[in-house]
Amino acid sequence: MTSLDSATNPAHDLPDVSQLVVGVLGGTGDQGRGLAYRLAKAGQPVIIGSRTAERAEASAAELGLGVRGADNATTARESDIVIIAVPWDGHAATLSALREELAGKIVVDCVNPLGFDKQGAYALKPEEGSAAQQAAALLPDSRVTAAFHHLSAVLLQDESIAEIDTDVMVLGEERAATDIVQALASRIPGMRGIFAGRLRNAHQVESLVANLISVNRRYKAHAGLRVTDV
Amino acid sequence: MTSLDSATNPAHDLPDVSQLVVGVLGGTGDQGRGLAYRLAKAGQPVIIGSRTAERAEASAAELGLGVRGADNATTARESDIVIIAVPWDGHAATLSALREELAGKIVVDCVNPLGFDKQGAYALKPEEGSAAQQAAALLPDSRVTAAFHHLSAVLLQDESIAEIDTDVMVLGEERAATDIVQALASRIPGMRGIFAGRLRNAHQVESLVANLISVNRRYKAHAGLRVTDV
């Protein structure tokens, strides 16, 4: 079985990211709010971003834990790491508008392009290959990574749950950036950030959420994934 | 953490498949031989299939455990469940030639269409959407499922390892067929067969092997996956 002790936890030689400010664009949605909550609870400085500062501030006030709220542009400007948790249909427009604010930042795309019909969820195939590759194409001056795809928003937001029993697959082109994102994921109790390849292999990681939705329906679960033998 | 006791093991209400004959096409390759070994060790009647009966018989004799060897057509004809473990570049031709022998059978596609270059592995996109959907298109009279994608051939073949610490995502259109394949996977100690969606969501499951290859390189591991909260 996987073990979380320091000898085998792949986080044990990752950088200290505890002082880095994390912005969450789409932080008023379920996934974004859940991530903001877990990161803030772990002691990370967090800003929730939304289209309007008022909505972001209201969400931040609800969360407490020192979380701030701001409009998306301010959030991007004032953060070191920016998590993209907006709906897929607003993905390209949101990122295009923030190209300057996101320059030089570590961007963490966690968007899953999915369609839904009577048979459930299915993968959409972005022209660029994946949401993460679209982000990389739209943000040439940012350090784009992909992570946090397989988390249950329900579990993230459930304050009665102390540990999230899920590994986080982290993808990217630049080792220093993926190390930072792995370290960030590993701050949340129960999670480990695991390097899982380059952005050209992001599509299947994003799309796998369709399968987890099938698992959840069949087993009435909030399924996540653990990587074994790591 | 995941638990394998009967209360939570999703295999506990699956059918008894212990008498079903399992054929493994491509059974002389690493993945096929590993699966044949684990299934035979679990008590399953197993036939290894290969293009020539001689090669299959030699592999079967090496494995022992009552495993038989035969050419692909005989293997398909004499099996109840047929696992497709051939290389992707022989996938379409092998299945097309066996359409009649595979009629009425449960077919379990475990082929991962991947390309390799200097940067490692990447997903190939079959015209039909996935290897499993190609199988379904070529075998309209078979009960096509997909499973066993994320197993390490090294671990499967290592006789010193008693349990394989990996869940098996099982995909398909027909509940009775996926139940049988889940039950089959769950016979191998350590494994659980987990329903994970329809064949239209097979591409990402097949492609995720590219990510596991990246994990293996980074961590010098033989990575597998566990589904949590199931």
Side-chain angles (χ1 to χ4, degrees):
Chain A
M1 298 299 291
T2 49
S3 162
L4 295 176
D5 66 29
S6 62
T8 58
N9 190 335
H12 79 286
D13 55 358
L14 294 173
D16 176 8
V17 297
S18 60
Q19 304 307 311
L20 300 182
V21 176
V22 178
V24 184
L25 304 189
T28 58
D30 282 338
Q31 187 79 3
R33 195 168 51 227
L35 275 172
Y37 168 66
R38 291 289 161 181
L39 289 167
K41 204 178 168 203
Q44 202 73 32
V46 172
I47 312 175
I48 278 184
S50 186
R51 266 182 280 188
T52 68
E54 292 69 28
R55 256 191 98 195
E57 285 160 8
S59 267
E62 269 181 59
L63 283 180
L65 300 167
V67 176
R68 289 186 288 147
D71 63 67
N72 281 334
T74 304
T75 300
R77 208 178 299 115
E78 298 188 359
S79 301
D80 303 300
I81 304 173
V82 182
I83 295 175
I84 312 299
V86 300
W88 165 241
D89 62 10
H91 186 260
T94 301
L95 297 186
S96 300
L98 297 172
R99 177 172 166 169
E100 281 182 34
E101 289 84 352
L102 290 170
K105 311 287 186 179
I106 292 182
V107 170
V108 188
D109 203 298
C110 63
V111 173
N112 305 303
L114 295 181
F116 293 86
D117 63 18
K118 283 180 190 170
Q119 297 195 327
Y122 58 93
L124 300 176
K125 178 84 170 180
E127 202 185 322
E128 297 84 354
S130 61
Q133 287 164 292
Q134 184 182 82
L138 293 172
L139 305 171
D141 304 318
S142 302
R143 304 163 74 186
V144 175
T145 67
F148 299 116
H149 302 89
H150 303 144
L151 304 175
S152 158
V154 173
L155 299 185
L156 287 177
Q157 295 182 90
D158 185 339
E159 298 188 11
S160 73
I161 295 175
E163 297 206 354
I164 303 292
D165 181 19
T166 307
D167 288 331
V168 172
M169 295 187 186
V170 177
L171 294 89
E173 304 300 309
E174 183 206 339
R175 175 74 182 250
T178 55
D179 276 359
I180 287 170
V181 178
Q182 285 179 248
L184 183 69
S186 299
R187 294 206 72 206
I188 299 176
M191 283 190 201
R192 303 182 307 170
I194 307 271
F195 176 73
R198 292 175 176 274
L199 295 185
R200 68 175 179 174
N201 284 318
H203 175 59
Q204 55 264 31
V205 174
E206 297 170 358
S207 305
L208 201 70
V209 174
N211 302 87
L212 294 180
I213 290 171
S214 293
V215 171
N216 290 345
R217 286 191 181 191
R218 175 64 62 91
Y219 301 100
K220 307 197 191 317
H222 301 292
L225 293 176
R226 280 263 180 234
V227 181
T228 58
D229 200 40
V230 170
Chain B
M1 300 295 293
T2 49
S3 162
L4 296 175
D5 66 29
S6 62
T8 58
N9 190 336
H12 79 287
D13 55 358
L14 294 173
D16 176 7
V17 298
S18 59
Q19 305 307 310
L20 300 182
V21 177
V22 178
V24 184
L25 304 189
T28 58
D30 282 340
Q31 187 79 2
R33 195 168 53 227
L35 275 172
Y37 167 66
R38 290 289 160 181
L39 290 167
K41 202 176 170 205
Q44 202 73 33
V46 172
I47 312 176
I48 278 184
S50 185
R51 266 182 279 189
T52 69
E54 292 70 26
R55 255 192 96 193
E57 285 160 7
S59 267
E62 269 180 58
L63 283 180
L65 300 166
V67 176
R68 290 186 288 146
D71 63 66
N72 281 334
T74 305
T75 300
R77 208 179 298 115
E78 298 188 359
S79 300
D80 303 300
I81 304 173
V82 182
I83 295 175
I84 312 299
V86 301
W88 166 241
D89 62 11
H91 186 260
T94 301
L95 297 185
S96 301
L98 296 172
R99 176 172 166 170
E100 281 183 34
E101 289 84 350
L102 290 170
K105 310 287 186 180
I106 292 182
V107 169
V108 189
D109 204 299
C110 63
V111 173
N112 305 303
L114 295 181
F116 293 88
D117 62 19
K118 284 180 190 169
Q119 297 195 328
Y122 58 93
L124 300 176
K125 179 84 171 182
E127 200 185 323
E128 297 84 354
S130 60
Q133 287 163 293
Q134 184 183 82
L138 293 172
L139 304 171
D141 304 318
S142 302
R143 304 164 74 187
V144 175
T145 67
F148 299 117
H149 303 90
H150 304 145
L151 304 175
S152 158
V154 173
L155 299 184
L156 287 177
Q157 295 181 89
D158 185 339
E159 298 187 12
S160 74
I161 294 174
E163 296 206 355
I164 303 292
D165 180 19
T166 307
D167 287 332
V168 172
M169 295 186 186
V170 177
L171 293 90
E173 304 300 310
E174 183 206 339
R175 175 75 183 249
T178 55
D179 276 359
I180 287 170
V181 178
Q182 286 178 247
L184 184 68
S186 299
R187 295 206 71 206
I188 298 176
M191 283 191 202
R192 304 182 306 170
I194 308 271
F195 177 74
R198 292 176 177 273
L199 294 185
R200 68 175 179 174
N201 283 318
H203 175 59
Q204 55 265 31
V205 173
E206 297 170 358
S207 305
L208 201 70
V209 175
N211 302 85
L212 295 179
I213 290 171
S214 292
V215 171
N216 289 346
R217 285 190 181 192
R218 174 65 61 91
Y219 301 100
K220 305 195 191 320
H222 300 293
L225 293 175
R226 279 264 181 234
V227 181
T228 58
D229 199 41
V230 170

